[in-house]
Structure formats: structure tokens, C-alpha cells
């Protein structure tokens, strides 16, 4: 066992941690107001920081976080767009998951502070409430840095994957600094799960829930251990308890859906995903998952709404692909079969088909699938002349090798449906 005393710092170490090489520390400031970006940058320069990026939007923040390892992020909660500071925090925590070097401070107006604290699934290292004085700003920054200093050896043990040492250090920090109780308990639980000790981790988290029944994160991690131990009913109970304490704990919905799926309760799994997307609709992964689950349930209404969101979010990005448009068209076809006179469905079909043809023009298989979807729609609403017209256009593209061909049996069956060949005995 590694000696716990190896984690201790001298006062000179601490002084160096606070003040040395600040000019090399990388800072990211995210605020949609230019005056606030200028103010925050000025305050950071006065503290001695030299490498400071300032950007106005969450989307640009995602890009910057991907490309640069920041030591400190200052992010306004209300960014005046589809994403807010919570989304940036979640992205940073996930992207820097193995680092723990970056400190994150959420900036929020005093009128919305309580709401912001209430919806935080991922906890920032600190809050900065506007308006603030320069001295208060400095104290907040130094407090966050001091916390990072006190956890630096724990973070190093985590980065080195020395989870036994990480547990020992966390216990010592918890004794020396009672104000970090919650963070240390989390680190101890993490060290146990990283070692695959799920029964011990479960006991750890269960003990916390008995002593601190308002710790939503403890119920969440208890439920994760239940999942690992395949105790799905208990996992469902504890994820629901997590959400009763914090209805904005987004990951709890995801794992609750997983527990329901493992229990073959697909309708309840779908509801969990619908509920989380009602809170935060921008997650592409959650929308795709809900769409696939809705297809399994033949819930065409939910599938259409979900895939409509998906193709809207990925439009003109590297994630746009023809398969999603084709699935959307198939779902719309199912709905049109039920409501053939619904003009809104017809217009959605037209728009999705047009976009599919644009991105599939150099892909023969995708182009054929677009004609297949269009032809199927006309057959369902019994517009045979239009169906035949679509086949004629499709056939020309097949002959010119712009669209992928059908095999002989497929072509024969299609022509029979269109009345272009006569069935013989």
C-alpha cells in the first residue's frame, strides 16, 4: 500500500501552485455579452493570467474545448441561444473526463442563481453571481484554485489509474478538510467502481444515502451499481429516487431507460427518454435512442417528432447522413397511411425527400432508396399514376447507373404492383 503521507504538500508547494506560471495557464471565457467578456478578461489579466480565449457561444465553446486543454473555464449560464452553461459544463466534464485538471466556474445573474443551482447535474467547481466586485471575483477564483490544489494529488492518482491511492488520499483529505466531504465521498466511490468492486461501491453509496438522504448523486451511483450487479428493479427504484430529489439530473433518465429496457419494459423506457428530452431537447444521442425505441414500439408519432428533430440538428453538419432521412420518410409513410389527407405530413415528406436527394445525389443506393420511399407513399394513398411516373424517373436513373438497380424479382414485384406486368399462372 502506498504511503498516504506522500500526498502532503509543503507551504512552498502551495505558494508555487497558486502563483507560479499563471501566464501559461489557459483560460476560456464564454459569455454572449461582449462587455462581460471584456470585463472578465481584464480581471483575469490583473490576476496574472496570460493565455485567455473569449468566445460568445456554446457551439464555439465546444470546438475550443475539443482543441485546447484549458485550466480554467468561466461560463455564463444564460448564453442567449439553444445551449446554456449547463450544456457547456456537461460537455467539458465528459471531454476532460480523464483529466480533472480543468476548473469550471458558472457565472449567473443573482435573479437566476437558485434556478441554476437547482438544475445542475454536473457540479461546477464554483459559482460567480453577478453583479460582483473585483475583490469578490478574486476570492472566488482563489477559492477554486485552492480546492484544485487540495485535490491535485487525488487527480494525479486518478490520471495514473492508481485507484487504491486515490481512495486513501480521498479519505485523508476528507479528514483534513471537512468542507470537501461530498467531493471526497464521490472520489472514494469512483475508486471502488474503477476497480470493479461494485458490491463494495454499492455498500459505500448505500451508507451515504442513509446518512445524507438528500444527496441525489449518491442515489444515482447506488443505482449504477445496481445495474452492474443486474439488480434492475433496485436500479429503477434508486434512479427514480434520484429524480425525485433532482428532476434535472439528466443522466439518471438515460440509465433509468436502460434499466427499463433490461427489464423489457420498453414503454417505460421510452417515457424516461421523452421526459429527459422535455427538459433538454438538444441531445442528438438521446433523440436517436428515442427514435429507435419508438420504431420498436411502432409508435410512429413519437418516432416522427424525434427523427424530425434529429435531421434538423444534424443538417449541414458532418453528422448528416441519408439513412436518417430514409428512416424519417418511412415513418412519415406509416403516418400518411393512417392520415392520407394530412397536408402537414405531406409537406414534411416533401421536404425530407428533397433534402435526401440533395445529399444522396452521388450515392446510387441512397438515391434508389429515396425513389423507393416516394413510390411507396403514392402506392399507399392509391395514386397509381404518380407512382408509375416515379418509377419511370427511377428506371431512367438506374439505366444511367446514377441509381442502384433492383434485382430481377424486386423489379418484377414492383411492376406487378404498378400494373405494368400481368401476373400469369
Amino acid at each position: 500500500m502506498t504511503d498516504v503521507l506522500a500526498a502532503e504538500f509543503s507551504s512552498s508547494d502551495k505558494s508555487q501552485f497558486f502563483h507560479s506560471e499563471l501566464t501559461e495557464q489557459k483560460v476560456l471565457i464564454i459569455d454572449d455579452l461582449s462587455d462581460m467578456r471584456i470585463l472578465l478578461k481584464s480581471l483575469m489579466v490583473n490576476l496574472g493570467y496570460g493565455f485567455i480565449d473569449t468566445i460568445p457561444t456554446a457551439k464555439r465553446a465546444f470546438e475550443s474545448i475539443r482543441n485546447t486543454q484549458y485550466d480554467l473555464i468561466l461560463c455564463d449560464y444564460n448564453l442567449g441561444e439553444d445551449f446554456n452553461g449547463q450544456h457547456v459544463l456537461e460537455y467539458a466534464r465528459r471531454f476532460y473526463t480523464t483529466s480533472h485538471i480543468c476548473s469550471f466556474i458558472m457565472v449567473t445573474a443573482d435573479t437566476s442563481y437558485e434556478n441554476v443551482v437547482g438544475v445542475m447535474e454536473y457540479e461546477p467547481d464554483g459559482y460567480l453571481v453577478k453583479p460582483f466586485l473585483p475583490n469578490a471575483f478574486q476570492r472566488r477564483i482563489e477559492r477554486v484554485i485552492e480546492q484544485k490544489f487540495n485535490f491535485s494529488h487525488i487527480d494525479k492518482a486518478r490520471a495514473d489509474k492508481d485507484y487504491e491511492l486515490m481512495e486513501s488520499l480521498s479519505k485523508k483529505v476528507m479528514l483534513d478538510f471537512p468542507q470537501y466531504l461530498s467531493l471526497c465521498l464521490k472520489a472514494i466511490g469512483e475508486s471502488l467502481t474503477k476497480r470493479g468492486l461494485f458490491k463494495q461501491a454499492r455498500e459505500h453509496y448505500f451508507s451515504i444515502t442513509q446518512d445524507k438522504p438528500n444527496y441525489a448523486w449518491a442515489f444515482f451511483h447506488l443505482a449504477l451499481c445496481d445495474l452492474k450487479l443486474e439488480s434492475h428493479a433496485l436500479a429503477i427504484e434508486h434512479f427514480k429516487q434520484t429524480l425525485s430529489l433532482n428532476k434535472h439530473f439528466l443522466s439518471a433518465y438515460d440509465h433509468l431507460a436502460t434499466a427499463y429496457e433490461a427489464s423489457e419494459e420498453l414503454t417505460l423506457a421510452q417515457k424516461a427518454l421523452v421526459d429527459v428530452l422535455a427538459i433538454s431537447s438538444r441531445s442528438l444521442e438521446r433523440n436517436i435512442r428515442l427514435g429507435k425505441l419508438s420504431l420498436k414500439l411502432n409508435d410512429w408519432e413519437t418516432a416522427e417528432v424525434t427523427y424530425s428533430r434529429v435531421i434538423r440538428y444534424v443538417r449541414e453538419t458532418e453528422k448528416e447522413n441519408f439513412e436518417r432521412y430514409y428512416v424519417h420518410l418511412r415513418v412519415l409513410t406509416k403516418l400518411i397511411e393512417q392520415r392520407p389527407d394530412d397536408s402537414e405530413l405531406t409537406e414534411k415528406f416533401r421536404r425530407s425527400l428533397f433534402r435526401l436527394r440533395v445529399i444522396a445525389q452521388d450515392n446510387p443506393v441512397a438515391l434508389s432508396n429515396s425513389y423507393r420511399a416516394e413510390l411507396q407513399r403514392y402506392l399507399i394513398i392509391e395514386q397509381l399514376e404518380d407512382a408509375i411516373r416515379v418509377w419511370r424517373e427511377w428506371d431512367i436513373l438506374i439505366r444511367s447507373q446514377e441509381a442502384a438497380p433492383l434485382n430481377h424479382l424486386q423489379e418484377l414485384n414492383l411492376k406487378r404492383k404498378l400494373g405494368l406486368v400481368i401476373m400469369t399462372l
Side-chain angles (χ1 to χ4, degrees):
M1 180 71 68
T2 308
D3 190 336
V4 175
L5 295 179
E8 294 185 349
F9 295 92
S10 68
S11 59
S12 61
D13 290 331
K14 189 170 184 178
S15 176
Q16 183 178 8
F17 188 91
F18 273 101
H19 300 295
S20 69
E21 300 179 347
L22 280 184
T23 56
E24 312 237 342
Q25 296 278 300
K26 295 180 175 64
V27 178
L28 176 63
I29 295 172
I30 311 156
D31 200 298
D32 58 326
L33 300 178
S34 60
D35 288 347
M36 183 56 65
R37 293 197 301 274
I38 293 170
L39 172 61
L40 290 173
K41 182 174 182 178
S42 175
L43 291 170
M44 295 303 290
V45 168
N46 289 340
L47 290 177
Y49 289 89
F51 187 101
I52 303 172
D53 286 335
T54 63
I55 55 178
T57 68
K59 290 181 181 179
R60 287 183 56 187
F62 299 151
E63 181 180 354
S64 295
I65 289 169
R66 283 197 303 270
N67 296 330
T68 304
Q69 170 68 65
Y70 288 101
D71 300 284
L72 177 64
I73 297 176
L74 294 167
C75 182
D76 188 54
Y77 180 77
N78 295 304
L79 294 173
E81 54 176 20
D82 292 332
F83 297 100
N84 58 34
Q86 181 184 4
H87 296 105
V88 178
L89 174 59
E90 179 177 349
Y91 186 85
R93 286 289 190 254
R94 289 181 175 177
F95 196 80
Y96 294 148
T97 184
T98 60
S99 169
H100 285 264
I101 294 172
C102 179
S103 298
F104 194 108
I105 297 179
M106 189 71 70
V107 184
T108 177
D110 58 356
T111 55
S112 60
Y113 171 73
E114 292 299 329
N115 292 332
V116 172
V117 172
V119 303
M120 282 291 113
E121 171 193 356
Y122 289 87
E123 294 182 10
D125 296 289
Y127 293 95
L128 188 62
V129 181
K130 297 183 289 188
F132 51 81
L133 297 174
N135 288 342
F137 176 84
Q138 181 174 347
R139 285 196 302 272
R140 173 60 62 187
I141 297 295
E142 289 182 348
R143 192 176 305 165
V144 168
I145 295 174
E146 182 171 9
Q147 176 180 306
K148 190 60 64 176
F149 164 77
N150 289 325
F151 278 83
S152 59
H153 271 48
I154 295 175
D155 291 337
K156 185 179 185 304
R158 178 189 285 112
D160 293 340
K161 298 183 179 180
D162 189 345
Y163 299 118
E164 289 189 45
L165 176 60
M166 178 181 167
E167 179 180 353
S168 298
L169 295 173
S170 299
K171 289 177 179 178
K172 185 172 192 312
V173 170
M174 185 166 58
L175 291 175
D176 293 342
F177 304 96
Q179 68 270 32
Y180 298 143
L181 173 66
S182 177
L183 292 173
C184 291
L185 290 173
K186 286 182 181 180
I188 292 168
E190 180 187 347
S191 71
L192 292 170
T193 55
K194 290 292 188 182
R195 284 179 277 164
L197 304 176
F198 298 113
K199 288 185 179 180
Q200 292 92 320
R202 190 188 186 285
E203 292 173 2
H204 170 72
Y205 290 120
F206 181 78
S207 175
I208 296 171
T209 62
Q210 299 305 295
D211 189 46
K212 304 287 185 181
N214 293 324
Y215 278 11
W217 62 265
F219 281 99
F220 173 71
H221 287 285
L222 175 60
L224 289 181
C225 291
D226 291 329
L227 269 186
K228 287 290 186 180
L229 297 170
E230 298 186 357
S231 300
H232 300 130
L234 283 175
I236 290 169
E237 177 186 339
H238 292 135
F239 283 130
K240 290 168 73 173
Q241 182 65 29
T242 303
L243 293 170
S244 73
L245 293 169
N246 181 358
K247 68 178 182 179
H248 291 90
F249 204 122
L250 305 185
S251 292
Y253 292 95
D254 299 329
H255 291 288
L256 177 60
T258 299
Y260 277 132
E261 284 190 273
S263 301
E264 298 184 356
E265 298 184 74
L266 299 189
T267 300
L268 292 174
Q270 182 194 46
K271 183 181 183 304
L273 294 173
V274 169
D275 289 344
V276 68
L277 287 167
I279 298 170
S280 179
S281 65
R282 295 290 308 189
S283 170
L284 180 61
E285 292 76 14
R286 288 185 183 114
N287 276 290
I288 292 173
R289 185 181 180 188
L290 175 59
K292 290 179 178 179
L293 190 53
S294 299
L295 292 177
K296 286 184 181 179
L297 291 167
N298 294 332
D299 182 352
W300 311 119
E301 296 284 356
T302 303
E304 193 285 315
V305 170
T306 305
Y307 276 100
S308 181
R309 275 200 301 258
V310 168
I311 62 177
R312 186 168 69 251
Y313 294 160
V314 302
R315 184 181 173 89
E316 297 182 352
T317 72
E318 71 279 0
K319 294 183 179 180
E320 186 177 34
N321 60 61
F322 60 82
E323 287 93 345
R324 287 170 184 154
Y325 285 94
Y326 185 58
V327 172
H328 188 224
L329 290 172
R330 288 197 294 114
V331 170
L332 284 167
T333 300
K334 292 288 187 180
L335 292 173
I336 289 171
E337 186 174 8
Q338 299 169 8
R339 305 197 300 273
D341 297 325
D342 191 322
S343 59
E344 183 179 355
L345 290 176
T346 300
E347 177 59 21
K348 285 183 176 182
F349 190 98
R350 185 195 66 78
R351 291 199 303 267
S352 203
L353 179 66
F354 177 80
R355 185 60 186 170
L356 174 56
R357 295 256 168 89
V358 169
I359 67 173
Q361 56 187 334
D362 296 324
N363 188 311
V365 173
L367 193 58
S368 272
N369 281 339
S370 76
Y371 279 93
R372 181 179 286 107
E374 185 180 18
L375 195 149
Q376 180 69 15
R377 170 180 167 263
Y378 282 126
L379 286 175
I380 281 175
I381 60 178
E382 298 181 350
Q383 292 185 4
L384 191 58
E385 289 186 6
D386 285 317
I388 293 172
R389 173 183 55 79
V390 170
W391 164 245
R392 303 291 190 201
E393 294 175 4
W394 185 7
D395 190 42
I396 291 172
L397 293 173
I398 290 174
R399 293 177 187 278
S400 67
Q401 298 185 340
E402 294 178 64
L406 303 175
N407 63 42
H408 176 71
L409 184 59
Q410 288 174 329
E411 184 173 341
L412 183 61
N413 287 335
L414 176 58
K415 287 181 177 179
R416 283 173 177 167
K417 288 181 180 180
L418 296 174
L420 298 178
V421 297
I422 300 174
M423 291 187 64
T424 59
L425 296 177

